[in-house]
Amino acid sequence: MSRRAVVIGAGLAGMLAAAALSTVADEVVVLDRDDLPDGPEHRRGLPQGRHAHLLMAGGLASMEDLVPGVSMGKHLLAAGAHEIPLGSGMVALTPEGWLRRWRRPGPRMLTCTRALLDWAVRGAVLDNTGVVIRKARVLELTGSRERVTGVRLSAAAGDEELPADFVVDASGRGSRIVTWLAGLGIDDVREKTVDAGLVNATRLYRTPEGAGRFPLAMVQADPYQGRPGRSGMVLPIEGDRWMVSLAGTRGGGEPPSDPDAFLRYTLDLPDPIVGRLISGAQPLTDVHVSRSTSNHRRYLERVRPWPERLVVLGDALATFNPAYGQGMSVAALGARELGGELRRAGLAGPGLARRVQRRAARSVQAAWTMAVSQDVWFPGTRGGSPGAADRLVTAYTRRMIRTATGSYPAASALWDVMSMTTGPARLLRPSTVLATLSGPPLPPAAGAPLTQEEREILKGLDRTGR
Ligand SMILES: Cc1cc2nc3c(=O)[nH]c(=O)nc-3n(C[C@H](O)[C@H](O)[C@H](O)COP(=O)(O)OP(=O)(O)OC[C@H]3O[C@@H](n4cnc5c(N)ncnc54)[C@H](O)[C@@H]3O)c2cc1C
C-alpha cells in the first residue's frame, strides 16, 4: 500500500522535513498557502525574509545530511551566498569588548537573502527527491488523540480531506498547532513567551567599489546596562550587495524607518563602524521594519500521550529573538532528528513521533537558553525576569565572552556553541572553564580589529567626517 506523508509549510523546516520523509514515504506532499516564487524573490508568507538571516554551521551541517546527493553548502555558495569564517571574517563588538580575529578561521556561517536560501533549498529538494508542492491552506488535523491520519485543507477547488500516514507541521510562527491539537482532544500544551519587544529595520545597499572583501561588521546589543538594547550589522549578500540590519528592544531602542534616522541610529551605536561603512554607500531599497520577534515556545515534548504520526518542527515549535541567528539551524537540526528516526524505525515505528519531538526539544532548549538568558535583562521584557539561575549563567557567560575577546580557546568554544555545532555543555568543558577563570591572555582591543588595508577602505568610505 502506498504511504503518503504530508508536510504543512514549504519554508525551510518544511522542505527539509520533506527531504527526510522522501527516503521512506512513497509520496511526500508539501502544502503551502502561499504562491512560491520561481526565483530568489521575497514572498508575503515570510515577512521576516527581508531581514538578515545568518545560517550557522550547525544548521548547514544538518542540511548536508538531509538532501540526498547534494552538498547544500556548495549549492548555496554557487547560488551567490557568502561564507564567513567566524574567527577571521568578522569584526564584532560584544558587550565585553571587540572579539579579536585569528589566523584559524573557526566555524563558517553563510550569508545571503532569505529569499535566495529558501529558493535554493526548495530547488535542491524538488530536484533530488520525489517531493511535490501543492498550494493549499491547512485548516485542521484529522485523526484522534492517539494518531493523526491526515489534514483538512482549503484549495482553489474547495475544502477537502487529505489522508496521510505521517504529518509534519512546519507552518511557522503563526502555526495553529495548539488549536489543531485541541481539536483532537489534546488541550494541555504548555506555552511560554519572553518578549523583549524587539524591532528590526533593514536596508540594502550596493557594496561600494573595493569593499567586497571587508569583513562582516557587527555591534551587538548590551543587555546588562539597564537600557534598551540597540544593535546593527553589515553583511555581504548575493549580487554585490550589503544588507544592513538594525535591531532594538522596547522602550527607546527601536530602530526607525526614516532613512536619515536609520543612519543616525547606526552612528549612535557604541561604535559607529556600521554607519561609517554605509554613510556614502548607495541605498537600493527603503528601510523595512518588522516586529513580532519574541521568544515563544510550545513544550510539545511534554504532552502525553503524544499522537502517533505527527511531528512539529521549526518556528511552529519554537521561535527565538533573531539576534542570535538560530531559528533556521534549530529547524534543520529538528529535521535531521526526524530523518535519523525514520531511517531507524520507518514511517510507522511506534512512538517515533514522540521520540523526534523529544530529540528536537534539545536544540530548542539550547537556543532558548542562549536567547532568553540575555533577553530577560533588557528593561521592559515581558514574560521573564532574571532569576538566580540566569544570574549565575550570566556571570559565567560574561566572563567567558570577556575572555574570548583575547583568548583563542575561549573564542573557539563560544563560536562552537553560537554556531550550534556543539551543545552548550561545550562551555563547561574543563579546558573552557580553565581559560575562562584565567581571563584573557591578550589585552582588550582598543578598536575594531581591522587590517591596515581595511582601515584604509573604511576611511575611504566614511562620509561622516569622523
Ligand atoms: C527578523 C528576523 C530575523 C531572523 N534572522 C535569523 C537568522 O539570522 N538566522 C536564523 O537561523 N534564523 C533567523 N530568523 C528565524 C527564521 O526566520 C525562522 O526560524 C525560520 O523562518 C523558520 O522556518 P520555518 O520553515 O519553521 O517557518 P517559515 O519560514 O515561517 O515557513 C512557514 C511556511 O508555512 C506556510 N504556512 C503557514 N500556515 C500555513 C497553513 N495553514 N497551511 C499551509 N501553509 C502554511 C507559510 O506560507 C510559510 O511558507 C529570523 C527571524 C526573524 C523574525
Side-chain angles (χ1 to χ4, degrees), residues 47-48 51 173-174 195-200 250 289-296 315 319-322:
Q48 75 268 37
H51 301 290
R173 60 175 52 226
D195 181 7
L198 195 81
V199 174
N200 289 82
R250 177 180 291 123
V289 175
S290 302
R291 289 172 171 77
S292 113
T293 48
S294 58
N295 304 283
H296 181 74
D315 278 14
T319 62
F320 316 95
N321 174 339

Side-chain angles (χ1 to χ4, degrees), residues 14 16-17 22 25 59 66 96 103 127 181 273 275 281 356 413 419:
L16 294 174
S22 71
L66 280 164
E96 312 301 328
R103 279 209 191 88
D127 289 349
L181 286 170
I273 186 165
V356 174
S419 60

Side-chain angles (χ1 to χ4, degrees), residues 12-13 32 43 46 48 52-54 114 138 171 315 322 327-328:
L12 205 69
D32 204 290
R43 66 184 170 98
L46 259 185
Q48 75 268 37
H53 271 76
L54 310 171
R114 178 64 196 271
V138 171
S171 60
D315 278 14
M328 298 191 299

Side-chain angles (χ1 to χ4, degrees), residues 1 43 66 94 146 173 193 215 337 369 425:
M1 207 174 66
R43 66 184 170 98
L66 280 164
T94 73
E146 283 77 38
R173 60 175 52 226
T193 302
E337 297 294 357
T369 306

Side-chain angles (χ1 to χ4, degrees), residues 353-376:
R354 177 163 159 72
R355 282 198 300 282
V356 174
Q357 220 58 69
R358 288 174 67 171
R359 286 174 167 275
R362 290 184 203 159
S363 48
V364 168
Q365 177 63 33
W368 179 265
T369 306
M370 205 188 307
V372 168
S373 66
Q374 299 194 49
D375 279 5
V376 288

